[in-house]
């Protein structure tokens, strides 16, 4: 299937999703961004940067490790938490993060934002904001590259090699 999103596509997707957050929430008042540890943190940081630079709102943002459930450094009580990740597949990491968020406080609302939704859900999870829907088989996976991690910005579908 090849490249789904290159650097330009990723940039446009971040801009669109940033606007959708503002539209759905009637602005950015009481919105906080939380990235799933790893690539989700990069997604949250990029959305934060765009909203800060173009909309003038410096939203609180942080990264959440669902396993440790460590604090974010800002309160989430009564806030709309936009939980950001790169790829949504089974829904397990999203559910783990929602559980961890409730251990940290009592948000008014939790919205899930993903750059790519590849289907294949094993749990009843639906993203509120989706960059691109890309149905994949179990033999495929999404290879993600971010310049923050030393590789070009890129999302690609890769077919798994079967072990002999």
């Amino acid at each position: 299937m090849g490249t789904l999103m290159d650097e330009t596509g990723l940039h446009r997707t971040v801009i669109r999703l940033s606007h959708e957050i503002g539209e759905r929430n009637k602005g950015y008042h009481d919105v906080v961004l939380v990235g799933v540890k790893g690539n989700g943190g990069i997604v949250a940081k990029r959305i934060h940067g765009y909203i800060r630079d173009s909309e003038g709102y410096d939203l609180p943002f942080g990264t959440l490790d669902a396993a440790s459930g460590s604090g974010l450094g800002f309160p989430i009580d009564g806030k709309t938490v936009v939980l950001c990740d790169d790829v949504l597949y089974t829904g397990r990491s999203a559910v783990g993060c929602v559980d961890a968020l409730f251990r940290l406080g009592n948000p008014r609302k939790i919205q899930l934002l993903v750059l790519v939704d590849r289907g294949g859900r094993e749990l009843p999870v639906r993203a509120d904001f989706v960059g691109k829907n890309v149905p994949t088989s179990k033999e495929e996976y999404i290879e993600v590259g971010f310049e923050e991690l030393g590789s070009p910005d890129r999302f690609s579908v890769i077919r798994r090699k079967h072990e002999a």
Side-chain angles (χ1 to χ4, degrees):
M1 192 170 209
T3 301
L4 302 170
M5 206 180 297
D6 60 10
E7 181 179 359
T8 302
L10 180 56
H11 181 71
R12 286 182 182 145
T13 300
V14 165
I15 291 170
R16 179 175 55 79
L17 293 172
S18 299
H19 287 289
E20 287 180 16
I21 292 169
E23 290 168 8
R24 174 117 8 119
N25 294 298
K26 296 180 174 64
Y28 299 98
H29 181 69
D30 284 336
V31 172
V32 299
L33 302 170
V34 175
V36 176
K37 184 180 179 183
N39 290 348
I42 295 169
V43 174
K45 185 174 183 177
R46 288 190 182 192
I47 288 175
H48 169 266
Y50 179 79
I51 292 171
R52 181 196 61 223
D53 295 346
S54 63
E55 303 293 324
Y57 293 93
D58 193 8
L59 303 179
F61 80 99
T63 302
L64 178 67
D65 181 350
S68 71
S70 58
L72 295 168
F74 54 86
I76 61 169
D77 291 327
K79 305 290 186 187
T80 296
V81 174
V82 179
L83 181 63
C84 303
D85 208 356
D86 57 348
V87 177
L88 177 60
Y89 182 42
T90 64
R92 293 182 185 278
S93 64
V95 168
C97 286
V98 168
D99 185 50
L101 285 168
F102 279 114
R103 288 194 305 269
L104 295 174
N106 188 22
R108 184 174 65 80
K109 188 186 317 182
I110 299 173
Q111 298 172 328
L112 180 60
L113 177 147
V114 296
L115 294 178
V116 175
D117 183 346
R118 60 176 284 200
R121 220 73 76 239
E122 295 174 359
L123 300 171
V125 174
R126 177 187 57 83
D128 299 281
F129 307 102
V130 177
K132 189 170 193 136
N133 285 293
V134 183
T136 59
S137 71
K138 289 184 179 186
E139 289 78 39
E140 297 172 317
Y141 67 97
I142 306 289
E143 184 178 70
V144 178
F146 286 116
E147 67 180 24
E148 290 90 337
L149 301 176
S151 63
D153 286 340
R154 181 177 46 231
F155 283 68
S156 302
V157 174
I158 305 294
R159 183 162 292 279
R160 295 184 195 277
K161 293 181 180 158
H162 294 285
E163 310 264 337

